[in-house]
């Protein structure tokens, strides 16, 4: 369902991604690992049509990312749940108002807003916090809200960049449980991390990047002993 063929992205003479090829089927759980600067964010942003590629083919479903026109980019992004490294919320708006802004952008009919919002916020156990402002929440709570927001359009694929960075162990575990639960319900999860303890203990297919190259695609997972 997701296919990359020789995907390459260069900045000056830095290979952010170099000849990356892989196929990810619907329902898979995939870690993307590697040291800082290895190319993880670039790869995730290519997959979500947030970055152009220099050469190669990137396909999600029947949509070829390289040839996207603007309106197709929006169509594609609506099929994806994106949890970025930084959770951008509108700071003066409550969680409820932030969610409403998103649902409006997604063109979800107004009469469905309440139900949809309750559904996604309940799934991350954050329904009690809807009247708060973003900065009144802990980092872990904000991450849960960011995940709930990514679920608003019921996407078949979720792309998450370092969702447990800067979290204490307990919050990180809670966040990961949310992703595992979503995956069990059939959602494809592509998750970048350099938390080797997590990758080693909760095993899933692992793609390892180094200097922009895919140096390992391991169905049994585990963090490389060498990085
Ligand atoms: P990671 O997420 O694994 O830390 P990135 O994908 O962010 O890696 O970066 C891969 C490489 O590409 C790094 O060397 C980084 O400095 C470079 N890079 C990423 N984005 C840009 C950009 N917009 N301009 C220039 N260089 C970039
Ligand atoms: P696109 O070409 O689709 O706009 P890019 O991935 O080339 O996407 O660029 C993403 C962002 O990184 C843009 O805001 C761009 O201005 C910036 N960028 C691209 N190349 C460099 C670079 N060499 N140094 C600094 N910023 C860069």
């Amino acid at each position: 369902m997701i296919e990359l063929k020789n995907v390459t992205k260069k900045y000056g003479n830095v290979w952010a991604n170099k000849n990356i090829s892989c196929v990810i089927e619907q329902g898979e759980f995939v870690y993307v690992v590697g040291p800082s600067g290895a190319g993880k964010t670039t790869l995730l942003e290519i997959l979500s049509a947030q970055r152009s590629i220099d050469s190669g083919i990137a396909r999600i479903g029947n949509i070829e990312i390289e040839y996207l026109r603007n309106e197709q980019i929006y169509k594609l992004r609506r099929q994806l749940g994106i949890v970025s490294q930084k959770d951008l919320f509108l700071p003066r708006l409550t969680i409820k108002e932030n969610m409403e802004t998103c649902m409006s952008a997604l063109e979800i009919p107004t009469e469905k807003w309440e139900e949809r919002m309750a559904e996604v916020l309940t799934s991350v156990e954050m329904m009690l916090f809807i009247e708060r402002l973003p900065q009144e929440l802990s980092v872990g709570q904000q991450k849960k809200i960011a995940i709930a927001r990514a679920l608003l359009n019921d996407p078949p694929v979720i792309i998450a960049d370092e969702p447990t960075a800067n979290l204490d162990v307990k919050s990180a575990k809670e966040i990961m449980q949310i992703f595992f639960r979503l995956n069990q319900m059939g959602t494809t999860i592509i998750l970048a991390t350099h938390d080797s303890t997590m990758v080693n203990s909760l095993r899933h297919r692992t793609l390892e990047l180094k200097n922009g190259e895919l140096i390992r695609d391991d169905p049994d997972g585990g963090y490389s002993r060498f990085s």
Side-chain angles (χ1 to χ4, degrees):
M1 102 142 287
I2 293 172
E3 185 182 15
L4 300 180
K5 252 192 204 161
N6 297 320
V7 165
T8 291
K9 176 77 187 178
K10 242 179 141 181
Y11 293 106
N13 48 20
V14 174
W15 297 88
N17 278 181
K18 188 174 183 182
N19 282 327
I20 295 188
S21 298
C22 69
V23 173
I24 298 172
E25 303 289 350
Q26 179 62 37
E28 281 200 75
F29 191 114
V30 182
Y31 289 119
V32 179
V33 306
S36 191
K40 304 183 295 295
T41 298
T42 302
L43 184 63
L44 265 44
E45 291 187 352
I46 287 170
L47 287 173
S48 48
Q50 294 174 279
R51 269 190 222 217
S52 61
I53 56 181
D54 297 333
S55 60
I57 296 171
R59 206 177 272 136
I60 296 192
N62 296 324
I63 304 178
E64 223 171 272
I65 291 175
E66 192 188 6
Y67 300 115
L68 286 181
R69 290 194 310 273
N70 264 346
E71 69 265 33
Q72 287 176 303
I73 292 182
Y74 289 113
K75 209 189 255 177
L76 174 69
R77 287 198 192 143
R78 278 179 200 189
Q79 294 180 33
L80 298 171
I82 300 174
V83 182
S84 314
Q85 224 160 3
K86 282 221 167 94
D87 310 314
L88 294 174
F89 297 107
L90 298 164
R92 288 172 208 280
L93 299 186
T94 63
I95 297 308
K96 182 166 184 250
E97 291 161 342
N98 266 279
M99 297 299 252
E100 287 171 349
T101 308
C102 279
M103 289 188 286
S104 171
L106 289 166
E107 293 171 5
I108 295 173
T110 325
E111 66 270 19
K112 294 196 174 152
W113 283 9
E114 202 150 330
E115 188 193 349
R116 193 69 203 128
M117 190 162 54
E119 216 167 80
V120 297
L121 286 172
T122 305
S123 77
V124 298
E125 294 174 359
M126 286 298 289
M127 197 52 192
L128 294 175
F129 298 85
I130 58 172
E131 299 301 342
R132 301 266 190 107
L133 292 171
Q135 66 268 28
E136 292 170 343
L137 299 177
S138 71
V139 183
Q141 289 172 328
Q142 288 183 26
K143 192 54 80 178
K144 288 184 187 177
I145 299 289
I147 296 171
R149 183 173 59 183
L151 294 174
L152 280 172
N153 52 348
D154 199 17
V157 179
I158 291 188
I159 294 179
D161 197 355
E162 302 269 6
T164 60
N166 309 317
L167 296 185
D168 58 85
V169 176
K170 182 169 170 285
S171 308
K173 278 191 178 149
E174 284 176 18
I175 296 293
M176 289 309 294
Q177 286 311 322
I178 294 171
F179 286 114
F180 291 134
R181 212 169 52 231
L182 289 167
N183 180 244
Q184 275 161 9
M185 295 189 296
T187 308
T188 306
I189 309 282
I190 303 173
L191 188 149
T193 182
H194 51 234
D195 183 344
S196 52
T197 311
M198 183 174 77
V199 175
N200 284 331
S201 55
L202 304 160
R203 293 204 168 221
H204 284 281
R205 179 180 174 191
T206 301
L207 305 179
E208 180 173 352
L209 297 177
K210 194 177 178 188
N211 299 325
E213 286 187 82
L214 180 59
I215 59 166
R216 193 165 61 104
D217 180 353
D218 188 346
D220 299 324
Y223 214 95
S224 166
R225 281 161 293 156
F226 307 107
S227 49

